[in-house]
């Protein structure tokens, strides 16, 4: 089974609107971390936000927030007030405590922000 | 700037050749990871080192090898190159081995095999 599933290959959003990028994960570990990365067209991978499995509050970093629903095993990224510079690929990733040597990445979602 | 450096930034070579990609982790980070990202593909985990020792292997071909040196920099060696090896190769580092530590990625090396 896939460890990380991102079901939206591509998304469009109007500038200044909010957008949610979906991510579901599969693990039997009780302790794990969830991460989102952004990859602009220039190619670099930029860390955006982190959520620990034991964190009770949803993580927030500026315009990024993570909608963590543990029972559903989902960790959706919410970008508020989209900007043209948000156009990029977004990857969801997970690291488990039992096998912390591996990061599992989803296939990514390509976000296009329209002016 | 993540603090992870990779050289070279671009590499163009021919089939059958051998190349070495170099990575210097962030200061203090002991873990180094290598990933391959082919065109329009996600990241494929190749291999991970922690403080000089190999700790995890992913989808790494036998033609590929890596090592981490005492100064913690790492090299990924790709030999008998094929056209399909053309990809963006990322190195990432992480301070410790814990599920709570994110990885910081280098800028990548874009390999083109002609």
């Amino acid at each position: 089974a896939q460890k990380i599933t991102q079901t939206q290959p591509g998304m469009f959003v109007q500038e200044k609107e909010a957008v949610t990028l979906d991510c579901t994960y599969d693990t039997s570990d009780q302790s794990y971390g969830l991460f989102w990365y952004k990859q602009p067209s220039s190619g670099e991978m930029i860390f955006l936000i982190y959520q620990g499995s034991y964190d009770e509050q949803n993580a927030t970093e500026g315009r990024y927030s993570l909608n963590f629903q543990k029972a559903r095993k989902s960790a959706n990224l919410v970008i508020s007030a989209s900007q043209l510079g948000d156009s990029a690929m977004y990857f969801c990733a997970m690291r488990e405590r039992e096998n912390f040597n591996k990061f599992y990445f989803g296939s990514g979602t390509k976000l296009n922000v329209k002016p | 700037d993540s603090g992870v450096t990779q050289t070279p930034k671009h590499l163009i070579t021919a089939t059958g050749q051998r190349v070495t990609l170099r990575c210097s982790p962030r200061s203090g980070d002991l873990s180094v990871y290598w990933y391959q990202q082919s065109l329009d593909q996600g990241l494929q985990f190749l291999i991970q080192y922690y403080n000089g020792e190999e700790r995890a292997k992913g989808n790494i071909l036998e033609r590929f090898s890596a090592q981490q040196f005492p100064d913690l920099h790492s090299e990924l060696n790709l030999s008998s190159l094929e056209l399909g090896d053309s990809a963006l190769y990322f190195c990432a580092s992480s301070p410790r081995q814990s599920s709570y530590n994110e990885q910081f990625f280098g800028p990548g090396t874009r390999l083109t095999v002609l």
Side-chain angles (χ1 to χ4, degrees), chain A residues 25-87:
Chain A
Y25 59 93
D26 180 31
T27 181
S28 56
D29 207 327
Q30 296 301 308
S31 176
Y32 51 89
L34 297 157
F35 308 84
W36 277 91
Y37 287 86
K38 172 184 178 182
Q39 187 178 38
S41 57
S42 51
E44 72 269 31
M45 293 285 287
I46 302 166
F47 166 71
L48 294 178
I49 195 167
Y50 161 81
Q51 179 85 42
S53 58
Y54 291 118
D55 294 341
E56 294 185 355
Q57 303 284 336
N58 284 342
T60 59
E61 288 287 345
R63 293 185 300 111
Y64 303 109
S65 60
L66 200 152
N67 185 0
F68 181 45
Q69 297 187 45
K70 197 169 181 177
R72 293 186 174 184
K73 293 188 175 176
S74 76
N76 299 338
L77 177 70
V78 180
I79 305 175
S80 62
S82 297
Q83 301 173 356
L84 295 179
D86 294 334
S87 293

Side-chain angles (χ1 to χ4, degrees), chain B:
Chain B
D1 186 347
S2 67
V4 179
T5 60
Q6 287 187 251
T7 56
K9 192 167 184 178
H10 300 278
L11 196 49
I12 301 175
T13 188
T15 54
Q17 296 298 305
R18 173 190 167 97
V19 297
T20 297
L21 313 183
R22 184 188 167 104
C23 167
S24 292
R26 292 187 325 155
S27 177
D29 284 0
L30 300 178
S31 272
V32 169
Y33 301 75
W34 286 98
Y35 292 89
Q36 178 193 56
Q37 186 180 33
S38 302
L39 193 64
D40 295 331
Q41 298 293 314
L43 286 127
Q44 297 292 318
F45 168 70
L46 295 178
I47 198 164
Q48 183 238 348
Y49 282 82
Y50 179 80
N51 203 19
E53 292 186 10
E54 181 187 306
R55 288 298 178 94
K57 249 183 177 177
N59 302 322
I60 187 166
L61 300 171
E62 285 191 11
R63 299 184 286 109
F64 296 0
S65 65
Q67 52 184 328
Q68 186 180 28
F69 294 86
D71 66 353
L72 301 179
H73 90 271
S74 178
E75 292 181 356
L76 179 68
N77 301 296
L78 315 175
S79 62
S80 303
L81 285 168
E82 301 175 359
L83 295 177
D85 297 327
S86 295
L88 189 54
Y89 290 84
F90 283 108
C91 163
S93 76
S94 185
R96 291 178 299 277
Q97 298 199 106
S98 162
S99 58
Y100 300 103
N101 294 129
E102 68 270 32
Q103 292 180 332
F104 293 90
F105 281 79
T109 293
R110 188 169 293 281
L111 173 67
T112 303
V113 182
L114 301 175

